[in-house]
Amino acid sequence: MVPTPQPLIRPLGPDDLPAAMQLVWQVFLAYDAADCSDEGVEEFRSTIALPEMRARMATQQVWLWGSFDGPCITGVIATRKPCHIMLLFVDPAFHRQGIARALVEAVLQSYRSHTAEQTLTVNASLYAAEIYQKLGFTTSAEPQFLNGIRFVPMQRPL
């Protein structure tokens, strides 16, 4: 059996943001927007707006990594303090290829070497909750609805 090649994962910089946030927005619309109110869709859109993300990156409030197939971004993960995944999106053409797992592993490795935190958290969309479960996360509270967005609070040890 030929091993599956590992995707190229690297930190994203400001020049990567337009393509990364476009991918995030397209995948959100395809898989998550239906579980949100109009307010929630607008809330999400404002969260990933380029000026907002650039400012958060510049002040080190947010860190982003991407998965690449050649020059194309195939997946994006973003985290914020203290130890929380705020975005994890993979291009549907690359689903079920280990990209989400590789992105989460990159985050885990980074946090293990840079923080004393013991737990990685996420507010998983209803669609993604099962995926996060397969990545070692467990539900930490009942599903919630905040600012028009439905999510399941989840966590896993670092």
Side-chain angles (χ1 to χ4, degrees):
M1 176 183 268
V2 176
T4 305
Q6 289 296 315
L8 170 66
I9 306 291
R10 70 165 172 80
L12 298 181
D15 292 344
D16 298 310
L17 275 181
M21 292 306 104
Q22 181 64 32
L23 169 70
V24 167
W25 179 242
Q26 289 174 342
V27 177
F28 170 82
L29 288 175
Y31 293 92
D32 300 317
D35 291 324
C36 299
S37 69
D38 290 345
E39 172 196 13
V41 172
E42 188 52 41
E43 172 82 13
F44 186 83
R45 187 177 184 94
S46 68
T47 298
I48 66 165
L50 292 178
E52 173 74 14
M53 290 305 286
R54 280 194 176 106
R56 288 176 151 182
M57 286 178 74
T59 58
Q60 296 190 346
Q61 294 175 20
V62 170
W63 297 270
L64 290 102
W65 292 263
S67 171
F68 289 82
D69 182 31
C72 298
I73 295 177
T74 58
V76 175
I77 192 167
T79 63
R80 64 175 166 79
K81 292 179 181 179
C83 197
H84 182 80
I85 296 173
M86 61 180 282
L87 302 171
L88 176 57
F89 290 88
V90 174
D91 181 324
F94 292 87
H95 281 183
R96 306 188 65 77
Q97 295 182 28
I99 291 172
R101 182 173 301 283
L103 288 165
V104 169
E105 283 300 320
V107 165
L108 289 169
Q109 287 179 1
S110 177
Y111 273 106
R112 285 176 184 142
S113 64
H114 292 100
T115 185
E117 294 291 327
Q118 298 295 308
T119 305
L120 179 62
T121 62
V122 66
N123 292 332
S125 70
L126 300 184
Y127 173 80
E130 183 179 337
I131 297 162
Y132 278 107
Q133 211 167 22
K134 290 177 181 178
L135 296 173
F137 288 79
T138 57
T139 301
S140 56
E142 293 297 315
Q144 298 180 24
F145 188 70
L146 181 65
N147 298 327
I149 299 174
R150 293 186 197 289
F151 62 92
V152 179
M154 302 182 84
Q155 63 183 22
R156 71 161 282 172
L158 278 180

